[in-house]
């Protein structure tokens, strides 16, 4: 079965600094990978997704992620963080033939210092 | 506007009572999902449905029941058999099953057992 690890529970960055959130997955073949963001008390919003092809994926709100098969990683990055980016971020993995079920990581809480 | 609605936003239940959480989508999606979210545990799949009149158990189905009589609706009943029902519940939908389609999420229902 597939699994997802987000090693950082909390991350604090200063506004304007760069950001990288880590995501590692475990799956025998090429997975489908997603990053979602959740504001407090809200649902999840899709930031970006990777299915195949170019390993650098651009998403909304200035986010990007890079799929690295050799490291089983799909890290999320942003060159300059804004205070409004403070939220919880979830990495998720889906597999072919899996009934479109997603397995989610436990999330990374991002705090932005002004 | 197309989207997913969940009601109520907040729900309080006395121990021993069954409660039903509503989830409606007007995205014409075939697949629908229920997740439970607890702090530090990410999202865990309760039930999912790939087509009307069919549904499958997820990872934590005990104490929950669902129905899928209409494409647009996927209500979740939290029964008295669920030992620790206080949580944030999220409904999601996707175009169809297959792993490569992102899921769209509703705003969630926070259930508190008194």
């Amino acid at each position: 079965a597939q699994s997802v690890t987000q090693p950082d529970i909390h991350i604090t960055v200063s506004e304007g600094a760069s950001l990288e959130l880590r995501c590692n997955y475990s799956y025998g073949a090429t997975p489908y990978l997603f990053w979602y963001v959740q504001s407090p008390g809200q649902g999840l919003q899709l930031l970006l997704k990777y299915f195949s092809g170019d390993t650098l994926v651009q998403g909304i709100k200035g986010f990007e992620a890079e799929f690295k098969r050799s490291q089983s990683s799909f890290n999320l990055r942003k060159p300059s963080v804004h205070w409004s980016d403070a939220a919880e971020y979830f990495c998720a993995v889906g597999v072919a033939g899996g009934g479109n079920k997603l397995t989610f990581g436990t999330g990374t809480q991002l705090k932005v210092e002004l | 506007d197309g989207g997913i609605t969940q009601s109520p936003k907040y729900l309080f239940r006395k121990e021993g009572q069954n409660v039903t959480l509503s989830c409606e989508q007007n995205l014409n999606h075939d697949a629908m999902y229920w997740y439970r979210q607890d702090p530090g545990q990410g999202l865990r799949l309760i039930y999912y449905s790939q087509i009307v009149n069919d549904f499958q158990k997820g990872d934590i189905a005990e104490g929950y029941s669902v129905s899928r009589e209409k494409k647009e609706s996927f209500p979740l009943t939290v029964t008295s058999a669920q030992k620790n029902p206080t949580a944030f519940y999220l409904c999601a939908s996707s175009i169809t099953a297959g792993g490569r389609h992102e899921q769209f999420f509703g705003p969630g229902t926070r259930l508190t057992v008194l």
Side-chain angles (χ1 to χ4, degrees), chain A residues 30-107:
Chain A
T30 300
Y32 306 125
L33 295 162
F34 306 83
W35 273 101
Y36 285 88
V37 61
Q38 183 183 35
S39 297
Q42 302 296 317
L44 277 67
Q45 180 184 21
L46 181 71
L47 287 175
L48 48 77
K49 59 190 178 186
Y50 172 80
F51 294 150
S52 64
D54 192 348
T55 56
L56 185 61
V57 179
Q58 301 297 321
I60 63 171
K61 305 185 180 187
F63 285 93
E64 66 178 27
E66 186 171 12
F67 171 61
K68 293 186 177 180
R69 185 190 304 276
S70 61
Q71 299 177 21
S72 297
S73 69
F74 188 57
N75 294 349
L76 183 71
R77 301 193 295 245
K78 187 170 185 178
S80 178
V81 170
H82 188 262
W83 63 266
S84 60
D85 293 324
E88 191 157 22
Y89 292 79
F90 292 94
C91 182
V93 61
V95 299
N100 209 35
K101 292 186 294 180
L102 297 183
T103 299
F104 285 83
T106 51

Side-chain angles (χ1 to χ4, degrees), chain A residues 19-35:
Chain A
L19 172 70
E20 183 169 27
L21 302 182
R22 296 184 290 164
C23 173
N24 294 97
Y25 69 90
S26 174
Y27 181 60
T30 300
Y32 306 125
L33 295 162
F34 306 83
W35 273 101

Side-chain angles (χ1 to χ4, degrees), chain B residues 10-98:
Chain B
Y10 299 96
L11 186 58
F12 298 90
R13 187 193 96 174
K14 293 182 180 179
E15 285 192 21
Q17 288 181 336
N18 293 354
V19 290
T20 296
L21 283 59
S22 169
C23 177
E24 304 276 336
Q25 55 98 357
N26 61 2
L27 300 168
N28 200 31
H29 286 174
D30 284 327
M32 297 187 74
Y33 312 82
W34 274 106
Y35 293 91
R36 171 181 171 137
Q37 186 176 22
D38 298 282
Q41 297 194 44
L43 278 70
R44 294 181 289 168
L45 183 65
I46 304 172
Y47 269 97
Y48 67 103
S49 168
Q50 300 180 56
I51 197 168
V52 174
N53 292 323
D54 187 49
F55 48 83
Q56 288 79 39
K57 293 181 179 179
D59 301 318
I60 56 165
E62 184 175 354
Y64 300 97
S65 65
V66 294
S67 62
R68 185 88 186 275
E69 298 177 359
K70 298 186 301 182
K71 186 175 184 177
E72 302 80 16
S73 179
F74 191 41
L76 173 74
T77 297
V78 184
T79 75
S80 57
Q82 169 49 235
K83 291 181 173 30
N84 184 21
T86 294
F88 191 54
Y89 291 87
L90 288 160
C91 179
S93 70
S94 63
I95 293 174
T96 186

Side-chain angles (χ1 to χ4, degrees), chain A residues 3-20:
Chain A
S3 65
V4 178
T5 301
Q6 293 181 248
D8 303 305
I9 298 174
H10 299 279
I11 282 186
T12 300
V13 299
S14 298
E15 188 174 39
S18 64
L19 172 70
E20 183 169 27

